[in-house]
């Protein structure tokens, strides 16, 4: 799961903000044609794979040396904050959706050249993740969303003919899996702990709820959000989901044994199931999030941003153009299986004919992203707390979300 560590100190963030207010955007550009070294930080698997792409890019741009530094997601946020405070951010950096607003608010990022990078070339929810205070600061690189994985063989045993189309269908399917197919649990969703909100998003968005509205105003205790959390909590009160939070839990193992026949997750799981459990071939499928008011899921992924103090902005823009164009995106998918943010990359090649990926493509059309905020990780942690209080039977959904609403109101600008 691509999420940054949340351990950077508030004092360091404040110091970096002061530093960047004074010097942000001061770097003079050497021009794209000058002989230069472009520094790039990328996280996780992307950091490991990007070096090979950089070598290919260098062959066509011999004046530019691209120095890629892989950074672990567990330390990425902390390293970025420290680098910002020291005035040593790389020219180009991968930005997780949860903290782009924080660095944009500091003045650490260069606004995107919207004449070069067109909003209409990307999924709208992917583009929205890079927008802060009315300006774009990140170019979408890859996307992520969640869909429903389900065991088709056990569905037949449970008397189910099709994937659940509505949230009511999902509840009925869960009961049938447990009572007729004999599964231990019915649906794996995270009961509490860090990032429990990611499991909750399909319920929240499909019910028409949100954490923040388009203006960044907290709305997490709306009637729609309360309904969604009541629905989410019912899986625990009715014994359909495990209320024990297990850090590092790998749902694919229980999916393989049949202990868990349904779960929501992202596109990387397709490869995990095919590689690790070949015996499951033909016994599972993916489907869009069951609809309440609509079928909607979270939009995740990463953007590429340029340091405001970079003296290599022209070369950085050219490199990002290469990575986010349709051809570069298709190549990146072949290397990493990261889903392209550029919609034209889906029109040819493997993605165009892959039935499983088609479901993710469809889900992205209605996926929703949180508006960028400087304290977004703190905001979502308040929803994590509300989810845990409900799933553990310590609070009603209304009371838990009222508490979250009050806390979030103190965190937004």
């Amino acid at each position: 799961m691509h999420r940054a560590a949340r351990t950077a100190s508030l004092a360091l963030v404040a110091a970096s903000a002061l530093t960047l207010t004074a010097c942000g955007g001061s770097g003079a550009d050497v021009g794209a044609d000058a002989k230069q070294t472009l520094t790039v930080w990328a996280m996780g698997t992307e950091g490991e794979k990007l070096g090979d792409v950089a070598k290919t890019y260098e062959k066509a741009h011999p004046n530019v040396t691209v120095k890629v530094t892989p950074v672990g997601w567990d330390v990425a946020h902390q390293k970025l904050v420290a680098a910002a405070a020291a005035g040593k951010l790389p020219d180009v950096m991968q930005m997780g959706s949860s903290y782009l607003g924080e660095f944009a608010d500091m003045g650490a990022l260069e606004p995107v050249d919207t004449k070069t990078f067109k909003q209409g070339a990307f999924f709208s929810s992917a583009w929205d993740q890079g927008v802060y205070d009315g300006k774009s600061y990140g170019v979408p690189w890859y996307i992520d969303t969640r869909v429903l994985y389900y065991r088709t063989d056990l569905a037949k045993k449970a008397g189910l003919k099709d994937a659940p189309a509505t949230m009511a269908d999902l509840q009925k399917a869960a009961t049938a899996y447990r009572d007729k197919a004999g599964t231990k649990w019915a649906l794996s969703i995270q009961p509490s702990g860090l990032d429990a909100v990611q499991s909750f998003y399909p319920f929240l968005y499909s019910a028409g709820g949100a954490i923040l509205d388009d203006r960044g105003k907290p709305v997490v205790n709306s009637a729609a959000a309360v309904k969604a959390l009541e629905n989410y909590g019912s899986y625990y009160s009715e014994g359909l989901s495990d209320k024990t939070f297990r850090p590092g839990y790998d749902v694919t193992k229980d999916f393989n044994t049949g202990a868990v026949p349904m779960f929501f997750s992202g596109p990387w799981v397709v490869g995990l199931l095919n590689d690790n459990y070949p015996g499951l071939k033909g016994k599972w499928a993916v489907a869009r999030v069951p609809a309440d008011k609509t079928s909607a899921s979270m939009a995740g992924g990463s953007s590429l941003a340029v340091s405001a103090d970079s003296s290599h902005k022209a070369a950085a823009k050219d490199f990002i153009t290469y990575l986010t164009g349709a051809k570069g995106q298709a190549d990146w998918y072949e290397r990493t299986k990261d889903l392209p943010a550029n919609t034209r990359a889906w029109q040819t090649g493997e993605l165009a004919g892959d039935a499983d990926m088609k479901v993710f493509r469809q889900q992205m059309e209605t996926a929703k992203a949180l508006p960028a905020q400087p304290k977004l990780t703190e905001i979502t942690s308040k929803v994590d707390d509300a989810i845990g209080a409900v799933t553990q039977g310590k609070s009603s959904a209304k009371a838990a979300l009222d508490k979250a609403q009050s806390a979030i109101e103190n965190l937004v600008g």
Side-chain angles (χ1 to χ4, degrees):
M1 187 178 298
H2 297 332
R3 294 297 297 265
R6 301 183 182 185
T7 56
S9 71
L10 292 176
L12 187 55
V13 172
S16 65
L18 290 172
T19 301
L20 290 159
T21 299
C23 67
S26 61
D29 197 90
V30 301
D33 295 331
K35 191 169 182 62
Q36 60 196 290
T37 296
L38 192 66
T39 57
V40 181
W41 286 6
M43 290 56 171
T45 301
E46 288 73 34
E48 297 169 3
K49 299 284 189 180
L50 187 57
D52 291 337
V53 177
K55 291 176 183 177
T56 302
Y57 176 83
E58 288 172 343
K59 292 178 181 178
H61 302 79
N63 59 308
V64 179
T65 299
V66 181
K67 182 181 178 182
V68 177
T69 299
V71 180
W73 275 107
D74 57 337
V75 297
H77 180 263
Q78 186 175 3
K79 284 181 70 68
L80 284 166
V81 170
K88 294 183 178 179
L89 282 170
D91 299 305
V92 178
M93 67 209 89
Q94 180 180 356
M95 273 280 157
S97 58
S98 61
Y99 52 80
L100 183 142
E102 175 186 353
F103 288 89
D105 187 64
M106 289 179 187
L109 306 181
E110 181 76 4
V112 170
D113 177 0
T114 53
K115 292 182 179 179
T116 299
F117 302 100
K118 305 293 186 181
Q119 180 176 354
F122 304 95
F123 287 102
S124 59
S125 56
W127 183 270
D128 290 346
Q129 292 175 69
V131 176
Y132 176 67
D133 200 22
K135 288 186 178 181
S136 298
Y137 290 93
V139 181
W141 189 17
Y142 65 85
I143 59 168
D144 176 27
T145 191
R146 302 291 188 268
V147 301
L148 180 68
Y149 287 75
Y150 67 104
R151 285 284 297 266
T152 53
D153 57 336
L154 296 176
K156 292 179 181 178
K157 189 175 181 181
L160 303 169
K161 294 182 180 180
D162 302 301
T166 67
M167 282 294 178
D169 291 341
L170 183 66
Q171 185 87 222
K172 292 176 182 177
T175 302
Y177 271 119
R178 183 192 61 185
D179 295 346
K180 297 180 181 180
T183 62
K184 183 177 181 179
W185 304 107
L187 176 68
S188 177
I189 46 179
Q190 189 173 325
S192 58
L194 181 65
D195 291 334
V197 67
Q198 292 200 8
S199 284
F200 179 52
Y201 283 137
F203 294 82
L204 176 66
Y205 292 143
S206 292
I211 297 174
L212 305 171
D213 66 15
D214 293 340
R215 298 168 296 165
K217 179 182 177 181
V219 290
V220 76
N221 65 343
S222 68
V226 170
K227 176 187 175 184
L229 189 51
E230 287 173 344
N231 184 21
Y232 194 88
S234 71
Y235 284 87
Y236 298 94
S237 62
E238 296 179 16
L240 296 168
S241 298
D242 186 359
K243 66 171 59 178
T244 302
F245 173 49
R246 290 179 278 169
Y249 171 62
D250 180 4
V251 69
T252 65
K253 294 180 180 178
D254 285 339
F255 190 67
N256 177 53
T257 64
V260 172
M262 295 190 294
F263 64 95
F264 292 101
S265 197
W268 66 89
V269 175
V270 172
L272 289 177
L273 292 175
N274 288 335
D275 294 343
N276 297 336
Y277 306 107
L280 272 184
K281 185 176 182 180
K283 299 179 181 178
W284 63 273
V286 294
R288 293 182 64 185
V289 170
D292 191 342
K293 286 187 175 180
T294 186
S295 168
S297 192
M298 62 165 280
S302 281
S303 299
L304 295 168
V306 177
S307 168
D309 288 328
S310 171
S311 57
H312 306 281
K313 292 186 179 73
K317 182 170 70 173
D318 190 78
F319 185 55
I320 293 175
T321 299
Y322 178 80
L323 294 177
T324 61
K327 185 177 179 180
Q329 292 262 281
D331 174 68
W332 189 242
Y333 174 74
E334 294 296 325
R335 294 172 184 269
T336 65
K337 300 306 177 185
D338 285 343
L339 299 184
N342 188 312
T343 56
R344 285 198 298 122
W346 291 75
Q347 296 174 6
T348 58
E350 183 180 345
L351 278 169
D354 190 310
D356 291 333
M357 292 303 104
K358 183 179 180 180
V359 175
F360 286 95
R361 172 72 168 81
Q362 293 170 338
Q363 194 69 71
M364 273 302 299
E365 294 294 347
T366 58
K368 297 183 180 298
L370 281 171
Q373 287 280 331
K375 298 181 180 179
L376 195 57
T377 54
E378 293 179 66
I379 290 169
T380 56
S381 74
K382 302 306 179 185
V383 186
D384 291 339
D385 294 342
I387 293 167
V390 171
T391 63
Q392 303 307 306
K394 297 178 179 179
S395 174
S396 69
K398 181 67 165 63
L401 291 177
D402 281 344
K403 183 178 179 180
Q405 174 79 8
S406 179
I408 293 170
E409 285 173 349
N410 294 324
L411 293 172
V412 299

